[in-house]
Amino acid sequence: MTGRPLDVLEESLDAPVTVHLKDGSANFGVLAGYDQHMNVVLDPTELEGSTDDEVEDTTIIRGDNVVSINV
Amino acid sequence: MTGRPLDVLEESLDAPVTVHLKDGSANFGVLAGYDQHMNVVLDPTELEGSTDDEVEDTTIIRGDNVVSINV
Amino acid sequence: MTGRPLDVLEESLDAPVTVHLKDGSANFGVLAGYDQHMNVVLDPTELEGSTDDEVEDTTIIRGDNVVSINV
Amino acid sequence: MTGRPLDVLEESLDAPVTVHLKDGSANFGVLAGYDQHMNVVLDPTELEGSTDDEVEDTTIIRGDNVVSINV
Amino acid sequence: MTGRPLDVLEESLDAPVTVHLKDGSANFGVLAGYDQHMNVVLDPTELEGSTDDEVEDTTIIRGDNVVSINV
Amino acid sequence: MTGRPLDVLEESLDAPVTVHLKDGSANFGVLAGYDQHMNVVLDPTELEGSTDDEVEDTTIIRGDNVVSINV
Amino acid sequence: MTGRPLDVLEESLDAPVTVHLKDGSANFGVLAGYDQHMNVVLDPTELEGSTDDEVEDTTIIRGDNVVSINV
């Protein structure tokens, strides 16, 4: 199981990620936390020129809405 | 798992949050409680100028309807 | 987890509540019971002027249909 | 948890109930059995003037289709 | 819990049953087996004049598709 | 529980089966493996005149998409 | 259970696979990891002439979106 999904999330903490949801939306932010259900916490980035999809506040996303996460 | 989702909820108790549901609705209120399924309890705020999305009564939201929570 | 969702239900026993379901319907009645899955039992109220949404018989609602409960 | 949902089903054994399903249909019959998943068994009633919704044979209904049960 | 759903299935082994699925289809056959998830196995019957809904081969139906079973 | 669903799968290893999915598609191939969730592995057959539905590569199908399996 | 689904994934580590999702999309990449829920991690390939479906970044796909995986 090299590179298990949750290990990849662990390595991505504090890095920018994009979370794609079942409703078709994308959420861009810094991965501030996660749990074993793939519930995730995103913080706004401090990058200039941030994207339309960037979260505006700290956002908890419930895992069962997640389709994929780009790290 | 720094900043796990439930830890973020714990830190948000008594603070105003917005809960986005799968039906597209948003629910604004003070986070009065939660559990490990991400079932949450919202109380109306006492802020002036409260929003259209504010809950009118104490409201229990079942976790499997939750898409995301802005804290 | 102050004011956990099931604790709020426990405190609402014998009180009138409105249960909103995923099919968009609302069910108004006296909370006669519940369990850990948020399955609930509603009894008709004996209030005059009761609403269109009031249950006519004792009604068991399966928890996975519940969106929210106003207490 | 006074009057838990499964306790109400237990008390309703051998009595006529209506089971409302997620597909919008209603099933009327005598409650012959149930289990912890709210799977239920309905038998036809022997009442005259029975309704359009009455089951014609012994029918097992899988619990995850159930919206509500009127007892 | 008199006449629990799985007990009724046990008693129906080797008898003809109709399994109604969430996609609206019906499957008629001899109940050859089942398990605790209500996964079922149907065999073709050897009756003359069998119905349009009869299974043509031994068919395993995954329980989460089942709405109801007439026995 | 004579002829439990997973027992029938066990007996069908290395035999051609058709797996019907919730999206309406059918997948024909040799049953190369399965697990308790009804996740299955299909290999292409080596039969001449194989059908339109035959898998082209070894294919893992996640069990929760399965409606039925003809063996 | 010869050739169990997860065993097939284990054997496919570091090889190119195509993951078909419930939304109808396909994702092509090198299988970098997986877990028991069939959550998978795909890396971009380094092959020339890669396909339209190839992932552009390391992508975690949540298992409950997966229909099938071609290995």
Side-chain angles (χ1 to χ4, degrees), chain E residues 40-58:
Chain E
V40 296
V41 182
L42 296 185
D43 280 336
T45 67
E46 295 178 359
L47 301 174
E48 290 184 20
S50 60
T51 74
D52 287 347
D53 294 331
E54 185 172 342
V55 295
E56 296 180 7
D57 301 295
T58 295

Side-chain angles (χ1 to χ4, degrees), chain B residues 2-20:
Chain B
T2 312
R4 296 186 188 202
L6 295 185
D7 294 342
V8 175
L9 283 179
E10 181 71 24
E11 294 162 13
S12 303
L13 283 170
D14 300 322
V17 302
T18 301
V19 181
H20 297 273

Side-chain angles (χ1 to χ4, degrees), chain C:
Chain C
M1 292 187 180
T2 313
R4 296 185 188 204
L6 295 186
D7 293 343
V8 174
L9 282 180
E10 181 71 25
E11 293 162 14
S12 303
L13 283 170
D14 300 322
V17 302
T18 302
V19 180
H20 297 274
L21 301 188
K22 288 180 180 168
D23 65 6
S25 70
N27 292 267
F28 177 75
V30 171
L31 185 65
Y34 70 95
D35 64 21
Q36 79 275 20
H37 303 294
M38 224 179 270
N39 298 321
V40 295
V41 182
L42 297 185
D43 280 336
T45 66
E46 295 179 359
L47 301 174
E48 290 186 19
S50 60
T51 74
D52 289 348
D53 295 329
E54 185 172 342
V55 295
E56 296 181 7
D57 301 295
T58 295
T59 301
I60 302 168
I61 298 173
R62 200 167 184 269
D64 74 327
N65 300 286
V66 173
V67 176
S68 61
I69 303 175
N70 295 113
V71 301

